[in-house]
Amino acid sequence: MTLNDWITNLYIFVLASFLGLELIRNVSRLLHTPLMSLTNAISSISLVGSLALTGEGDKTWVIVLGTIAIIASSINAVGGFLITDRILKMFRKSK
Amino acid sequence: MENIIQFVYIASASLFILSLKWMSEIKTSRWGNWAGTAGMALAILATLLKPEIHGYLWIAIGIVIGASIGTPMAMLMPMTAVPQRTALSHAFGALAAGIVGSAEYFLHGSNLSMPQLIVLCIEVLLGFLTFTGSLLAFGKLQEIIPTRPILYPGRNLVSLSVFAFSLFLIAYLVIKGGSHPFLFSSIVCLSLLFGILLVLPIGGADMPTVISILNAYAGLSSSFMGFLLNNKLLIIAGALDGSSGLILSIQMCKAMNRSFTNVLFGGVGQVLEVADPSRDGKIVKSLSPKEASILFEAAKKVVVVPGYGMAAAQAQHVVKELTDVLENRNIEVKFAIHPVAGRMPGHMNVLLAEADVPYDKLVEMEEINPLFPETDIVLVVGANDITNPAARKNPGSPLYGMPILDVDKAKQILFIKRSMSTGFAGIDNDLFYSPKTIMLFGDAKKVLNELLISINSN
């Protein structure tokens, strides 16, 4: 990685953080629980790292650790998206 | 191939952004969740296209096991358990980030540049402290571990020294460079320990803030993994989560009029106020649910104030039944939702939605407070500190300055409570002694049921 890569990545991080702050500020307080379970599911994007670790690994210990990481982050991803939908389905307006 | 993967990653990042945008309104919120799911699916598929990936067997096994644990966890858990499920889920995500970072170190530790070592160490620190911290939060919410703050003398000094020592080891590792498996393992252990020390002194009522902070940490640790792997999708998704957790924790702190550091190091809950002597002469009025039911004869406007006690007693369905009965008698019923009521942000909204209470009846604190003076009856179900007028009137109270629901301004207050014990913060509630207040002692569900039967027979 060159210095340029680092700077680009830092730009992306800062801009994405500001975008995130703006987006979340607009979320109704009513939806804070599903919002948290959604962002929790999105944080399992670390699955990408676990996949690469396991798929590229040649040593047994790497594959074992990688598989544990995949299990952990897919519990997080699958569970997170499913429960968010389950929560959102319950919200309804008065007839 | 690399270009295709990058394009798919851009699509995936856009879907995550749309997902949060659509989450801002109920109307589009389910779309938001689907966009997030699609973004995640794309990210996984694109990653699997990487030419460096050659073994798929263990990947498949891992995903299948993970999905078969995650699905029942999401579908079978009762809605009252949403806070602990979220905490547990944070723990799993963070564990993955910690493991990936550690494996990278043991694989390529000696070839990493200084900035890479820095982000790797921060990723591992955040990942593992979030892992144990969230597990402990889960234990407290599930009541495997006592929910009250666990305090010991010098705890802040111990936590801070553990944190400082791990930062010192990280600095040493980064400056020294090269491979130091023992030193690195020590950093991992210290991070695990620090997570425990961080959450141990925190009590149940502060859980909304703590869960939000852990949410931010889990996101940030993914972002740092992105820096390490030079993966922009990870950086973006992690930053979005980090800012979400940050905003939620700031809002929770504001709703309690406390600072971050006060929540983390304040140990509120140990403040056991000695019975105020001036209170001795004051009388607490109490009625049976049957006697109290007559009060509803003349009522036109009723506001229900739910708190964690409603969740603990699983009383949300009875509350809904009572609402229906009152509405059939042309009584207007609203719900007053305090931002920190319950154990996670928005907890009460979810429980009431589960009981089929329409969301337009759930009114936020700022909007409901001006309506209390014209409210005939306020029914407090399992809430306490968020109704304590001392927060407005008594500068000596630990609650002073916290925004509360102005329940005391209503014409009549019915307070359902198990006994005369103090609230979570261990602070006596002035509201109990107000001449307008009537206590209904007993389990919330039982009291509400009796109230319901009596109103029906009146």
Side-chain angles (χ1 to χ4, degrees):
Chain A
M1 264 198 286
T2 64
L3 182 63
N4 254 332
D5 286 333
W6 283 97
I7 292 175
T8 317
N9 287 343
L10 208 55
Y11 260 116
I12 292 174
F13 177 73
V14 171
L15 293 178
S17 299
F18 277 112
L19 177 60
L21 292 176
E22 286 306 312
L23 286 170
I24 306 293
R25 238 209 297 271
N26 288 323
V27 176
S28 146
R29 240 189 248 163
L30 194 63
L31 290 173
H32 274 176
T33 295
L35 168 71
M36 188 172 282
S37 60
L38 174 71
T39 52
N40 168 239
I42 291 179
S43 76
S44 63
I45 189 68
S46 58
L47 188 52
V48 166
S50 324
L51 292 176
L53 182 71
T54 316
E56 294 168 23
D58 297 312
K59 304 190 183 80
T60 316
W61 69 266
V62 177
I63 295 179
V64 170
L65 278 185
T67 311
I68 296 175
I70 292 181
I71 295 174
S73 34
S74 38
I75 293 176
N76 186 351
V78 173
F81 287 121
L82 281 177
I83 194 133
T84 309
D85 193 56
R86 215 182 126 202
I87 295 171
L88 291 174
K89 263 198 297 205
M90 298 184 319
F91 283 98
R92 66 162 189 93
K93 233 183 161 142
S94 321
K95 282 159 211 143
Chain B
M1 192 52 89
E2 184 53 32
N3 289 336
I4 297 176
I5 294 175
Q6 287 307 325
F7 277 118
V8 180
Y9 277 175
I10 293 175
S12 168
S14 315
L15 282 167
F16 288 147
I17 292 167
L18 282 175
S19 155
L20 292 183
K21 184 176 161 46
W22 285 336
M23 202 62 192
S24 60
E25 273 181 87
I26 294 217
K27 247 192 333 200
T28 50
S29 58
R30 285 188 79 192
W31 279 99
N33 189 45
W34 291 328
T37 317
M40 187 61 67
L42 281 183
I44 294 170
L45 286 179
T47 309
L48 292 178
L49 289 178
K50 279 193 169 173
E52 299 93 333
I53 291 189
H54 48 78
Y56 291 93
L57 176 66
W58 288 102
I59 290 181
I61 293 176
I63 293 182
V64 169
I65 297 179
S68 45
I69 299 174
T71 310
M73 246 177 78
M75 303 316 282
L76 304 178
M77 266 213 184
M79 277 299 151
T80 37
V82 165
Q84 44 270 51
R85 198 219 66 92
T86 308
L88 195 58
S89 205
H90 282 155
F92 284 124
L95 174 68
I99 289 180
V100 172
S102 309
E104 286 293 328
Y105 183 81
F106 288 115
L107 280 173
H108 317 290
S110 42
N111 305 324
L112 294 176
S113 65
M114 200 186 269
Q116 277 177 315
L117 273 175
I118 296 176
V119 289
L120 187 147
C121 289
I122 299 177
E123 177 201 333
V124 168
L125 178 75
L126 284 176
F128 283 121
L129 83 83
T130 309
F131 173 59
T132 48
S134 302
L135 274 188
L136 203 61
F138 166 77
K140 287 193 171 207
L141 290 164
Q142 187 70 33
E143 287 172 26
I144 303 169
I145 309 166
T147 7
R148 65 184 161 75
I150 299 168
L151 304 170
Y152 53 93
R155 60 181 191 283
N156 290 343
L157 189 69
V158 173
S159 313
L160 284 177
S161 355
V162 168
F163 185 60
F165 190 49
S166 44
L167 286 187
F168 168 76
L169 288 187
I170 289 175
Y172 182 82
L173 197 81
V174 168
I175 293 165
K176 204 95 193 286
S179 176
H180 302 277
F182 177 73
L183 209 59
F184 186 80
S185 310
S186 316
I187 295 175
V188 171
C189 294
L190 285 172
S191 314
L192 291 168
L193 179 64
F194 184 61
I196 296 175
L197 294 177
L198 200 63
V199 180
L200 211 54
I202 290 171
D206 286 339
M207 277 302 163
T209 318
V210 172
I211 292 195
S212 308
I213 294 175
L214 292 170
N215 188 5
Y217 287 168
L220 284 179
S221 106
S222 297
S223 228
F224 282 106
M225 188 197 279
F227 278 107
L228 176 67
L229 305 174
N230 195 14
N231 183 321
K232 296 178 174 58
L233 174 62
L234 280 172
I235 297 179
I236 296 173
L240 292 174
D241 290 346
S243 42
S244 159
L246 183 69
I247 287 207
L248 289 178
S249 30
I250 290 174
Q251 289 192 356
M252 292 304 115
C253 284
K254 270 194 191 150
M256 295 190 292
N257 188 39
R258 295 173 55 198
S259 64
F260 258 147
T261 36
N262 186 276
V263 171
L264 290 179
F265 301 109
V268 161
Q270 111 245 54
V271 222
L272 282 166
E273 203 178 75
V274 190
D276 193 337
S278 69
R279 199 152 276 155
D280 285 349
K282 297 188 178 175
I283 311 150
V284 173
K285 272 192 291 182
S286 93
L287 287 180
S288 72
K290 194 169 167 42
E291 291 159 334
S293 70
I294 296 157
L295 299 169
F296 286 90
E297 299 276 281
K300 284 273 156 270
K301 286 183 179 178
V302 172
V303 170
V304 180
V305 176
Y308 176 67
M310 183 185 79
Q314 300 264 12
Q316 67 271 29
H317 298 283
V318 202
V319 169
K320 159 71 176 162
E321 277 177 63
L322 183 67
T323 314
D324 290 343
V325 169
L326 295 178
E327 281 178 339
N328 282 338
R329 305 187 160 212
N330 286 324
I331 301 172
E332 182 198 87
V333 185
K334 282 186 177 139
F335 290 81
I337 311 292
H338 191 278
V340 291
R343 289 293 184 261
M344 78 182 284
H347 193 183
M348 292 299 121
N349 300 308
V350 171
L351 288 183
L352 291 167
E354 187 208 7
D356 212 26
V357 174
Y359 64 80
D360 42 326
K361 292 203 194 311
L362 313 178
V363 189
E364 287 179 9
M365 179 171 63
E366 292 79 3
E367 280 127 57
I368 197 102
N369 270 347
L371 304 180
F372 279 117
E374 54 203 67
T375 301
D376 299 309
I377 298 179
V378 169
L379 184 63
V380 183
V381 186
N384 190 355
D385 294 336
I386 56 171
T387 64
N388 193 340
R392 259 196 344 255
K393 295 173 187 161
N394 177 6
S397 166
L399 293 176
Y400 186 68
M402 169 172 149
I404 55 157
L405 293 164
D406 296 333
V407 170
D408 55 318
K409 293 183 178 159
K411 293 174 193 157
Q412 182 107 62
I413 301 123
L414 294 181
F415 208 111
I416 302 179
K417 206 167 180 316
R418 217 178 275 274
S419 67
M420 271 308 283
S421 69
T422 53
F424 180 82
I427 302 151
D428 205 2
N429 193 340
D430 296 344
L431 196 58
F432 302 158
Y433 311 98
S434 155
K436 293 190 287 186
T437 306
I438 291 167
M439 308 296 293
L440 303 175
F441 289 115
D443 172 72
K445 202 170 175 176
K446 224 177 124 227
V447 170
L448 285 166
N449 256 323
E450 284 169 30
L451 199 59
L452 189 66
I453 294 166
S454 312
I455 292 177
N456 269 331
S457 59
N458 282 347

